[in-house]
Amino acid sequence: MGKSKNIILIGMMGTGKSTVAEMLSRELGYPLIDVDAAVEQKEGCTIPELFSDKGEAYFRDVENRMLCSVLEKDAQVIATGGGVVLRPDNCEAMSANGWVVALTADPEVIVERVSGCENRPLLAGNAEERIRMIMEERKDAYRFAHYTVDTTALSAAEVTRLILAHYRV
Ligand code: S3P
């Protein structure tokens, strides 16, 4: 692994990307970049507001531009939104500019982890049904990752340790 390569976390909502990214950033001393948070800051509103005011396609355009600009630098821990993989050019850019780690989890665990969160517009309504549907739609979308961790039975600290052990070899 080239030293100071970006670590880019991808995966469904609720797989622990944000928490693990924070831990990795602390361990490595790399800045933490959360693409969703950067989009919210740039647009001056929350993601649910962006979806309802301007629509998902607009959000995906801003997300794409933000990702590309973040990927211009090295030595960062980058947490992405679950849908970033929907655009093939995003996947190519991530593969070319970092070490891509996919976090996965069983749907039951994802449902448990996201329940009560109001900040995910794609889960409005029956969250469990929506999660199962989105997971089916995206079942192959995260496979291009260089490394995958099933987080179902692991704590965020355990996931972080595994990722660091593979990053440092
Ligand atoms: C989305 C996931 C969200 C956020 C937006 C869309 C998705 O990020 O980008 O609500 O399409 O899966 P998290 O994966 O951090 O929840």
Side-chain angles (χ1 to χ4, degrees):
M1 178 77 44
K3 242 176 90 199
S4 74
K5 208 169 188 176
N6 287 323
I7 300 188
I8 308 168
L9 297 183
I10 62 168
M12 267 294 285
M13 300 169 255
T15 49
K17 291 168 293 184
S18 302
T19 313
V20 170
E22 261 177 51
M23 291 184 171
L24 286 170
S25 145
R26 236 178 291 133
E27 285 289 328
L28 290 164
Y30 288 4
L32 166 62
I33 314 288
D34 184 311
V35 176
D36 277 349
V39 165
E40 289 185 325
Q41 202 184 2
K42 180 175 179 293
E43 292 291 307
C45 64
T46 64
I47 293 197
E49 284 164 354
L50 207 52
F51 268 69
S52 70
D53 295 350
K54 306 219 168 139
E56 181 172 348
Y58 178 87
F59 167 75
R60 298 291 173 205
D61 286 341
V62 182
E63 179 181 51
N64 166 260
R65 286 197 295 275
M66 185 57 71
L67 177 72
C68 292
S69 109
V70 165
L71 289 174
E72 284 171 12
K73 290 192 194 151
D74 278 328
Q76 312 168 98
V77 177
I78 304 169
T80 60
V84 78
V85 296
L86 295 173
R87 293 223 174 153
D89 55 328
N90 287 348
C91 299
E92 280 160 30
M94 290 189 283
S95 293
N97 292 289
W99 185 54
V100 182
V101 178
L103 302 186
T104 65
D106 291 348
E108 300 73 35
V109 170
I110 292 189
V111 172
E112 214 178 277
R113 288 186 191 157
V114 302
S115 67
C117 296
E118 299 290 317
N119 59 348
R120 291 184 171 101
L122 292 181
L123 302 185
N126 185 331
E128 178 160 3
E129 227 170 67
R130 297 281 306 142
I131 285 165
R132 287 183 189 278
M133 211 181 84
I134 295 171
M135 282 181 90
E136 179 58 28
E137 282 167 8
R138 296 185 188 165
K139 67 179 185 307
D140 296 322
Y142 301 107
R143 292 209 179 160
F144 72 98
H146 300 112
Y147 179 56
T148 299
V149 183
D150 182 352
T151 70
T152 304
L154 300 179
S155 69
E158 288 167 328
V159 175
T160 303
R161 271 200 295 280
L162 268 176
I163 294 173
L164 283 174
H166 285 78
Y167 180 71
R168 283 173 169 151
V169 292

